[in-house]
Amino acid sequence: MSAYINKILEDLKKSCIGQEVFIQAATEVLSSLEPLLNSDKKYEKHAILERITIPERVVSFRVTYVDDNGKPRVNNGYRVQFNSAIGPYKGGLRFHPSVNLGVLKFLGFEQIFKNSLTGVSMGGGKGGSDFDPKGKSDNEIMRFCQNFMSELYRHIGNTTDVPAGDIGVGGREIGYLFGQYKKITGLYDGILTGKGLNWGGSLARTQATGYGSVYFINNMLKKAGLGLEGKKCAVSGSGNVAIYTVEKLKQLGATAITVSDSNGFVYDPDGIDVALLKELKEIKRARLSEYVKSKPNAKYTPSTEYKAGTNGVWSVPCDGAFPSATQNELNLEDIKTLYANGCRFVCEGANMPSTLEAIDFMLAQKDFYFAPAKAANAGGVATSGLEMMQNAGMTSWSFDEVDTKLQGIMKHIFELSYETSKEFGQEGNIVLGSNIAGFRKVADAMIDQGYL
């Protein structure tokens, strides 16, 4: 690693104490930029690394609401507006107990380059709260969302910052947030994406991240003369990304054999039943353990039975793996187990689901294909961008129109990443290719716009 990159990372470690996941994200991106920085000194001359690793603005606020028992509750709220060089800040809101500033800085930093790769004019941002929607009534969630937006509305706008959903923020929460924004401002505009279909939402947005990741890896495998048909795939998670990854795999002739949640994982040798999974997670909001009650051939393994330091879902032999739950869910021991059991490709649906050590292992294998998150899971934010376009034009596109555009975007991201990896002498290294391609577009815009 160059002295310049190393200095930036050391400075970040000193100034961002306790923000380990942000440091991890910065290390992954910056370390892959060395070939670009060596070939063109303008990025060091204009202090791009120093500037791009610090958010343009961080908003922190208190959110107070009253629960159903009349007791006041208090949570932390945040919006990290990381970079607006190529468009308004764009990135989801996450409601989960794990949310803190370090987590949101990691997510916002990743969002800069992911959004850049889509070709849509969007900057990078992220926000959320340590509020946990699980176990709360609809009225409690509504009151929380209304009070969250009562602060957030000051800092967003359809050409300034356009949030979306993320973990813990689905259609219900987006509806409550949008309603409060409209009440306070009197504006009916595309301030949020992931809206309901009858009030400005886009068809295919729910499916986009999962579908997009499958489209991406399919392009990658086709480049190598391979394909998804007949492949058995392990999928982690059971939210939107996982559900629609499973669905699209089936449509393309592959079979998803696992899904998981925080309490354990399901292995179904007959293939995960998408309809049953949707019923459990989208309608009943039930635990995944309920799946095996309807599928006698399936097995549920609770997380208490996992080998220490591993994620049990990766112990199942498969041809490919789709980590689609959360960050750092695939570590070095996990990937070694997958590889030994015949797995030859990993496609990241979640944000930074693989540790740095796991990534290094995958890149070192000559017979392995690795699709990194900021390229492979960009379909969700790409379709959010398409929703913004529909809102601006006061129109609505069909599911097939949106899906066709999504396929084109994912193909473009793969080809751009692949050609960039080839340009810098590491053909097929999509980590390097996607990071350099995403970075270069934003960095050049920052230089053009001066020292802001």
Side-chain angles (χ1 to χ4, degrees), residues 58 241 254 340:
V58 174
V241 180

Side-chain angles (χ1 to χ4, degrees), residues 177-236:
L177 291 163
F178 182 82
Q180 183 71 356
Y181 174 85
K182 183 163 63 73
K183 179 179 180 180
I184 294 171
T185 65
L187 300 174
Y188 200 112
D189 57 28
I191 187 57
L192 291 162
T193 56
K195 298 185 292 298
L197 293 178
N198 60 348
W199 45 278
S202 174
L203 289 162
R205 175 60 189 91
T206 301
Q207 295 87 348
T209 306
Y211 277 21
S213 69
V214 178
Y215 292 146
F216 187 92
I217 193 64
N218 202 36
N219 279 298
M220 193 172 184
L221 293 175
K222 282 183 176 179
K223 184 72 175 180
L226 304 170
L228 281 170
E229 190 169 357
K231 299 292 191 298
K232 291 186 176 182
C233 302
V235 178
S236 68

Side-chain angles (χ1 to χ4, degrees), residues 18 80 85 104 115 135 176 202 223 229 266 280 301 337 344 356 384 416 447:
V80 177
L104 295 178
N115 293 359
Y176 295 151
S202 174
K223 184 72 175 180
E229 190 169 357
V266 166
L280 291 174
T301 303
T337 298
R344 289 299 179 268
L356 294 175
S384 283
L416 175 62
I447 291 171

